[in-house]
Amino acid sequence: MSKKTDRNSMEQKTKVFAEDGKQEIQITRHFDLPVESLYNAFVDKDLFAQWMGSDLIEFEFKQYGKYHFEKRNPKGDVIFNGKGTFHGFIPNTSIVRTFEMDVFSLPAQLEFLDFKSLTDETSKLTMHVIFKSVEIRNELLKKPFAQGLNMAHNKLEEIIKKV
């Protein structure tokens, strides 16, 4: 059996679960990375910028520290802009943060990131994301959000394996 190689048919490794009528989503992804490496990709300024493929405007990984990144097209126009605040963390275990994307003009969301070691060389990321309303959550789900997140996670794994 041959594998298709076009981008639309590639496996979506990052899974997004959205239960009807709820203002939240659950995102899960298994990585072929130790949990320490996965966690580090979210808290190390340089690694974060690499896998997000964005310019970091600000990145202070500390309680109540801010982060702000943007991606520009070749003309210099901002095509994606994300920002938020870190609220708490337990090394290699969890991060609590807010996140908002100016490009979609939606209010901030609250994110709980949980990192779990599966084996010495594999780990799992679970993100519990809470939105202001069901309508706002549904609006985000109409966007190519899941595909973009999957692409970013693929890049994260590729970059960290080289480190």
Side-chain angles (χ1 to χ4, degrees), residues 58-152:
E58 189 170 15
F59 192 92
E60 303 174 287
F61 187 74
K62 63 181 186 178
Q63 189 167 22
Y64 308 119
K66 299 177 195 173
Y67 65 99
H68 182 186
F69 59 91
E70 62 185 24
K71 186 165 181 74
R72 295 178 176 270
N73 66 18
K75 294 180 189 175
D77 302 320
V78 175
I79 56 173
F80 186 81
N81 185 336
K83 61 187 172 194
T85 303
F86 297 107
H87 290 267
F89 56 92
I90 300 170
N92 302 319
T93 303
S94 66
I95 298 171
V96 178
R97 67 184 187 188
T98 56
F99 180 66
E100 59 185 302
M101 299 171 279
D102 291 344
V103 71
F104 293 145
S105 300
L106 299 173
Q109 58 203 43
L110 179 59
E111 300 183 340
F112 298 89
L113 286 70
D114 292 310
F115 301 83
K116 183 178 180 185
S117 178
L118 300 176
T119 69
D120 287 347
E121 298 300 320
T122 62
S123 54
K124 179 181 179 182
L125 170 65
T126 302
M127 297 174 65
H128 182 186
V129 183
I130 303 171
F131 298 86
K132 186 175 180 182
S133 69
V134 174
E135 294 75 23
I136 291 168
R137 183 207 67 169
N138 291 345
E139 192 60 35
L140 179 68
L141 292 173
K142 292 177 188 174
K143 314 283 186 210
F145 155 78
Q147 295 86 349
L149 190 56
N150 188 67
M151 286 172 47

